[in-house]
Amino acid sequence: MRLGGLPLIPAEQIQNRVRELGAQITRQYKGSELSLVVVLKGAIVFASDLMRALDVDVSLNFIRARSYAGTESKGTVSFTLLPDMMLEDRQVLVVEDILDTGRTCTEVMQWISKHRPTSIRLCALLDKPDRRVIPVEADFKGFVIEDHFVVGYGLDFEERYRNLPAIHVMEA
Ligand code: IMP
Ligand code: MG
C-alpha cells in the first residue's frame, strides 16, 4: 500500500466543512452543556478543530476502542481507555473519525448509554456507507466517501500519516 498523490479531500475543504458542522452542532446544543467523547486515536485531529468551532460549553473526554489491524477489520471491539467523567444526565456527543462497518460506534454508543446520559448523538467526519455491517447513522457527518482506505487528518495506516492535513487514499 502506498499513499495516493492528490488528496481525496483537500485541507481547506475539511476546514470549511468542520466550521459548518460546528455551526450545526452549536444550533443543536445552544445554551446547554455538552460532553464530547472523542474516540481515540483517529478522531483527535477532527475533535480539536471541531471543538473550537463550537459556541457551547463543552467538556472533553476520551474513549479508546480498537477494532482494526492494518486495513482489516477484526470484527471485535475492545476498550483500552474509558471516560473518567460522569456522563449521567449529560448531553453526550461522540466524535468519530470514520464510520466504516459501524462496529466501533455501536459499541461506544452502547457503553455510553449504560451510563444514562440525557442524550447521545454521533458526529463522524467521514462515512463509508457501503462498508456498513451494523446499521448506524451519524447525526452530524462531514463527508460521505466511497469504499477507499483513507489516511490523514488523524486517520492512519499502521500508525502512519495521521499528521497529514488533507485526506488521502491508500493505493494498492
Ligand atoms: P468500524 O468499527 O468498522 O466502523 O471502524 C471504525 C474504525 O476503523 C475507525 O474509527 C478507524 O479508526 C478505522 N478505520 C475504518 N476505516 C478506515 C480508513 O479508511 N482509514 C483509516 N482508518 C479506518
Ligand atoms: Mg487505525
Side-chain angles (χ1 to χ4, degrees), residues 42 45 97-98 125-126 150-157 160-163 167:
V45 177
D97 52 358
I98 188 165
L125 177 69
L126 302 173
V150 292
V151 297
Y153 199 70
L155 292 118
D156 74 306
F157 172 65
R160 293 180 68 193
Y161 308 121
R162 292 194 197 275
N163 57 314
I167 289 171

Side-chain angles (χ1 to χ4, degrees), residues 67-68 73 96-105 128 148-151 155-156:
S67 72
Y68 250 74
S73 175
E96 255 283 29
D97 52 358
I98 188 165
L99 264 181
D100 187 33
T101 65
R103 287 192 179 100
T104 309
C105 264
K128 288 199 278 197
H148 295 130
F149 194 85
V150 292
V151 297
L155 292 118
D156 74 306

Side-chain angles (χ1 to χ4, degrees), residues 3-18:
L3 188 67
L6 279 180
L8 178 68
I9 311 174
E12 202 188 316
Q13 203 179 328
I14 301 174
Q15 295 303 327
N16 291 339
R17 187 70 188 118
V18 169

